[in-house]
Amino acid sequence: MSSKDERISLVERAVKRMQEEGGATPEGSGKRAAPIGGTAKKKDAKLPPRKTPAQLEQEKRAEQKARKDPRQEEAPAVKPSEPASPPPVPPVAPTPATPESSADRVVAPPVSPPPQAEAQRQAPPAPPLQGPDDTYMQIDIDMLRKNGMVTPNSGRTHLVEEMRAIKRPIIRRAFKSERLNGTNSLNNVVMITSCRSGEGKTFNAINLAMSIAMERDLYVMLIDTDVYRRGINHLLGIPDEKAGLVDLVLDSDLGVSDVLLRTNIDNLSVLPAGTQHPHATELLASQRMVEIIKDISSRYPDRMVIIDTPPVLASSEPRVLAAYVGQVVMVVEEGGTSRPLVENALDALGDSDKVRFILNKHRGRSKTDTYYGYSREAYS
């Protein structure tokens, strides 16, 4: 083959390759490129410019190399001694070491707490629930006023003035000089009793305690020892099953503060009779009861203790307690208590020097006045 024919053959192959690269003939279509001397099918087809022999020679060499290694033009050669570096791995946060192997360790994805649990965690802890206070009671003041008794808002009535006249000598004797000198005469412990039932001793005990509670510097403890009638419980609205004095005598582990009731009336607390007991009379006449009275008197020197006891001629408790209290007030019903009954009651109490009298249900006043009366002569 002449050099001219060889050049033409090289040109044809170059044109064919350029057409294949330029997309003139789609890949896999099966159509061959038109020869150089032929007529183009498309009117706007243009022949490529002629190349110089040097350009054709370079293309020939490039084609020979491509036949030997068709991947040479796609990727550069890699030396065998230098392996290709792996793609970079994103950094992973270090995990604390555990005794188990890394192959066995499974990292669980973080679980977000539910909104309700998150709100409870962020909210401050709620205070513990507290039950009802067993050492507090609410006295119905309106009910007491309707029953004709002294209350903190009674105003200036005959009953209020009469109770003021009664409490002054009692308070004066309770804190006289020998008590301040440390003789512990228990004069601040006052026992309210009567010869027989129905003379108004509980009525007067509550009114006297209410009147003393109005003092600014004194506190009053009202104790109910009439276990069977429980007059203080009924008038003040205290449940009969409430623990009180009997429970304190029975259980030596109890303290006065465990059964003492605070009230909504300033400076007034109440110690109810307590649980029913078949031998309540013997319990209240025991040495344990005497020790409780002495402890109350010595522990609270600024407190008046008013004890409502059963009638003297109907029970033995007043006779025992009279020996340990500082003052005894006997309520006598005008026109209802005979002189022999009063004399028998005084003999039962023993020490008549500390006994004073309140003349109750005095009939000398009109119906518009209170039925409560105070006789200075009887109390002198």
Side-chain angles (χ1 to χ4, degrees):
M1 183 182 293
S2 64
S3 61
K4 183 178 180 181
D5 296 335
E6 184 179 356
R7 287 196 298 271
I8 293 173
S9 176
L10 291 175
V11 170
E12 290 179 351
R13 287 196 297 268
V15 170
K16 180 180 179 180
R17 188 175 67 253
M18 291 178 63
Q19 289 176 353
E20 291 176 355
E21 293 177 356
T25 303
E27 184 178 358
S29 61
K31 295 182 180 180
R32 299 182 62 184
I36 298 177
T39 305
K41 293 183 179 182
K42 295 183 180 180
K43 296 180 180 182
D44 55 351
K46 295 182 180 180
L47 294 176
R50 289 181 174 271
K51 295 185 180 181
T52 62
Q55 292 175 347
L56 295 175
E57 187 67 23
Q58 291 179 358
E59 291 177 357
K60 180 180 178 180
R61 292 177 181 177
E63 184 179 358
Q64 291 176 356
K65 289 183 179 181
R67 289 175 182 176
K68 292 180 181 180
D69 190 2
R71 295 175 299 176
Q72 185 177 2
E73 296 181 358
E74 299 178 0
V78 180
K79 296 181 179 181
S81 59
E82 297 180 0
S85 59
V89 180
V92 180
T95 57
T98 57
E100 60 183 1
S101 63
S102 59
D104 298 335
R105 182 172 62 250
V106 177
V107 180
V111 180
S112 59
Q116 184 177 4
E118 183 68 17
Q120 292 178 357
R121 186 180 64 83
Q122 296 179 358
L129 296 178
Q130 298 180 355
D133 189 359
D134 292 337
T135 62
Y136 177 82
M137 62 161 296
Q138 185 82 11
I139 296 178
D140 191 346
I141 298 178
D142 293 336
M143 181 190 67
L144 294 181
R145 185 173 59 251
K146 290 178 181 179
N147 292 335
M149 305 181 72
V150 175
T151 61
N153 52 2
S154 293
R156 193 180 182 89
T157 63
H158 288 293
L159 178 59
V160 171
E161 292 301 321
E162 289 166 350
M163 295 311 301
R164 285 174 179 169
I166 292 173
K167 73 178 179 181
R168 288 304 168 197
I170 295 176
I171 295 175
R172 186 167 54 249
R173 184 172 181 178
F175 301 101
K176 64 181 182 180
S177 59
E178 58 263 27
R179 175 172 175 78
L180 299 178
N181 292 334
T183 56
N184 192 22
S185 60
L186 299 178
N187 286 338
N188 62 332
V189 181
V190 183
M191 185 181 78
I192 310 294
T193 187
S194 62
C195 297
R196 55 184 181 84
S197 61
E199 295 185 272
K201 62 175 183 58
T202 301
F203 178 86
N204 283 274
I206 295 176
N207 284 330
L208 180 60
M210 290 284 185
S211 182
I212 296 177
M214 296 179 189
E215 301 287 331
R216 291 182 176 271
D217 303 325
L218 292 178
Y219 295 87
V220 186
M221 179 189 295
L222 181 60
I223 302 177
D224 188 4
T225 62
D226 196 347
V227 179
Y228 298 104
R229 288 186 174 271
R230 301 172 181 264
I232 291 179
N233 284 17
H234 298 160
L235 289 176
L236 298 184
I238 303 174
D240 288 342
E241 61 273 10
K242 202 75 170 178
L245 184 60
V246 174
D247 305 272
L248 187 61
V249 175
L250 282 172
D251 191 353
S252 58
D253 294 334
L254 286 179
V256 176
S257 59
D258 297 328
V259 293
L260 188 65
L261 300 179
R262 298 173 293 108
T263 69
N264 54 318
I265 298 176
D266 295 338
N267 304 342
L268 175 65
S269 56
V270 181
L271 183 59
T275 307
Q276 288 280 5
H277 195 276
H279 303 292
T281 300
E282 288 76 14
L283 290 174
L284 299 183
S286 64
Q287 185 62 30
R288 166 71 175 163
M289 177 65 183
V290 176
E291 293 174 356
I292 292 173
I293 296 299
K294 288 183 178 180
D295 180 64
I296 292 174
S297 174
S298 60
R299 183 177 299 183
Y300 307 103
D302 60 341
R303 175 173 290 176
M304 293 289 298
V305 181
I306 307 297
I307 303 177
D308 180 28
T309 68
V312 176
L313 301 180
S315 178
S316 60
E317 294 99 316
R319 307 181 188 190
V320 177
L321 295 177
Y324 300 100
V325 301
Q327 303 184 60
V328 177
V329 176
M330 183 177 291
V331 178
V332 178
E333 179 184 1
E334 182 183 13
T337 306
S338 62
R339 187 181 183 91
L341 289 178
V342 175
E343 292 176 351
N344 292 337
L346 290 175
D347 294 339
L349 294 176
D351 189 2
S352 60
D353 293 337
K354 56 184 175 183
V355 180
R356 300 295 182 268
F357 296 88
I358 293 179
L359 184 62
N360 195 31
K361 301 181 183 179
H362 181 48
R363 295 172 175 80
R365 297 184 180 273
S366 62
K367 293 183 179 179
T368 58
D369 297 333
T370 175
Y371 68 88
Y372 178 85
Y374 168 63
S375 172
R376 294 181 182 272
E377 293 78 16
Y379 194 73
S380 60

